Amino acid sequence: VNVAGGMMKTTGYISTGTGFWDEPNTGATNSSGFSGVPGGYRFFNGGFFFNGSRGDWWSSTEGGTNIAWHCYLQNDNSIAGRNTNYKVFGFSVRCIRD
């Protein structure tokens, strides 16, 4: 069962005023403490998409000269996904202190 994504998402829905995710916020518990919110992303042409339904965070791992790995969470499932995309996309960045 893919539950890691739910463990990383903040709880609550936009409609209740207690969170940021569109309904349904499937499996959200934030038990990991990551507190992921759905900032969406900026497409290479400057348009913004999926605010409320998806959060994407860059990884520090490159997949090539023009691409890098990123992780994502979605409102309608509990999966923590990963993929590569072009670096011209605008994904969120999570800073972690050593």
Side-chain angles (χ1 to χ4, degrees):
V1 177
N2 293 310
V3 297
M7 295 170 71
M8 297 172 70
K9 296 190 295 185
T10 56
T11 59
Y13 309 102
I14 289 175
S15 61
T16 64
T18 60
F20 301 97
W21 290 93
D22 291 342
E23 289 186 77
N25 190 6
T26 304
T29 66
N30 195 34
S31 60
S32 72
F34 182 76
S35 302
V37 294
Y41 63 85
R42 184 188 50 80
F43 201 57
F44 70 87
N45 67 2
F48 288 87
F49 298 92
F50 301 110
N51 185 20
S53 64
R54 183 174 167 126
D56 291 82
W57 293 266
W58 282 119
S59 161
S60 61
T61 306
E62 290 186 298
T65 304
N66 298 319
I67 61 175
W69 284 92
H70 67 97
C71 297
Y72 61 89
L73 304 172
Q74 297 177 181
N75 71 309
D76 61 353
N77 64 56
S78 321
I79 296 169
R82 67 184 184 108
N83 207 345
T84 57
N85 219 319
Y86 291 101
K87 294 176 183 178
V88 295
F89 280 71
F91 295 148
S92 298
V93 175
R94 180 77 177 232
C95 297
I96 299 174
R97 184 175 64 182
D98 284 339

